[in-house]
Amino acid sequence: MQVTKDHIRNDIMQASAKLFLAKGFAGVSMREIAAAAHTGVGNIYNYFRSKDHLFCSLVAPAVRDLETMLEEHHGSCGRDIMDMCDKKYLDCMVSQYTDLICNHSHRLALLLFKSQDSSLATFRERFTDRATSLVKAYFADMKNRHPGICSDVTDFSLRIHTIWMFTLFEEIIRQRVAAQERRKAITEYLTIEIAGWRELMKI
């Protein structure tokens, strides 16, 4: 019985993902989702509380990995800022960005382009606000740990750091950058960004 329930849930998610990608969150009705999933509207509510809950469930793995990446680099247990001097740091970042897009390209497309009128419509702005506060606190902690670095960075620059990340993801998805070109493009972007932070912070 559990296998059957999982199958129905997956059918609903796959059908809704295609519709949301084509028409956006606001342009899709539960009736359309039910028809595409070959089930009744009422049955959808056995698995998802609302259309918004369904949409959030679809993109949840991408949101989780974005949050995890932020915490790993700038959270209270984030990596030491001096790791920027090691090429392994660049390689790690390139792999994380590449894997994120490879594993979640459709979820990121939904989150960044198709979420209008959902509870995730302002996700990018809220994530940017949180990242700005987190990185600011992280820099203060790194200054205590390494007094010689320069941590006098404007909040504006901290915000741009996150905005550029989202712009990178958006353009790779929008331009449909081929898989074999993504890693090179991401490496070029992160090389410029890391070199800029090292110069700015006198690392």
Side-chain angles (χ1 to χ4, degrees):
M1 189 66 175
Q2 185 61 43
V3 173
T4 301
K5 288 182 177 180
D6 288 345
H7 181 74
I8 294 171
R9 188 178 191 276
N10 288 337
D11 283 349
I12 293 169
M13 293 186 75
Q14 289 179 19
S16 63
K18 291 178 181 178
L19 288 168
F20 288 140
L21 280 169
K23 303 172 70 173
F25 175 83
V28 177
S29 70
M30 292 293 263
R31 190 174 299 278
E32 288 178 278
I33 295 171
H38 306 291
T39 190
V41 173
N43 195 34
I44 295 178
Y45 290 104
N46 290 325
Y47 301 89
F48 303 99
R49 296 187 301 274
S50 62
K51 184 174 75 167
D52 188 76
H53 180 216
L54 171 53
F55 186 85
C56 291
S57 298
L58 283 169
V59 302
V63 170
R64 181 192 62 235
D65 284 356
L66 282 166
E67 295 282 357
T68 297
M69 189 167 68
L70 177 62
E71 286 292 337
E72 284 181 354
H73 288 276
H74 302 301
S76 57
C77 297
R79 299 180 61 155
D80 193 284
I81 202 163
M82 290 304 175
D83 286 352
M84 280 189 181
C85 299
D86 191 337
K87 186 180 180 298
K88 290 180 181 178
Y89 180 86
L90 172 62
D91 292 340
C92 175
M93 291 296 295
V94 169
S95 293
Q96 285 188 320
Y97 275 44
T98 303
D99 290 347
L100 189 70
I101 295 172
C102 180
N103 295 334
H104 302 302
S105 59
H106 288 109
R107 296 184 183 99
L108 288 171
L110 287 171
L111 181 64
L112 299 176
F113 302 130
K114 304 293 184 177
S115 61
Q116 185 177 7
D117 288 347
S118 79
S119 62
L120 291 172
T122 59
F123 170 80
R124 174 174 163 162
E125 291 76 15
R126 287 185 281 115
F127 186 94
T128 300
D129 288 343
R130 181 169 172 270
T132 300
S133 297
L134 205 60
V135 174
K136 189 173 183 177
Y138 167 79
F139 279 0
D141 181 53
M142 290 299 108
K143 179 67 173 178
N144 289 331
R145 193 180 302 181
H146 305 287
I149 69 171
C150 175
S151 62
D152 185 20
V153 181
T154 63
D155 287 3
F156 179 84
S157 292
L158 298 181
R159 288 187 62 81
I160 288 295
H161 164 71
T162 303
I163 290 169
W164 281 345
M165 179 193 73
F166 281 121
T167 301
L168 173 73
F169 295 157
E170 288 173 347
E171 285 304 301
I172 286 175
I173 294 168
R174 185 182 286 117
Q175 301 299 328
R176 298 182 180 180
V177 177
Q180 61 268 27
E181 296 178 18
R182 285 179 198 159
R183 191 172 186 90
K184 186 173 187 298
I186 290 170
T187 300
E188 291 168 349
Y189 163 78
L190 287 171
T191 297
I192 294 169
E193 186 181 35
I194 291 172
W197 282 113
R198 288 175 60 183
E199 173 63 24
L200 192 64
M201 303 187 74
K202 309 304 179 187
I203 296 175

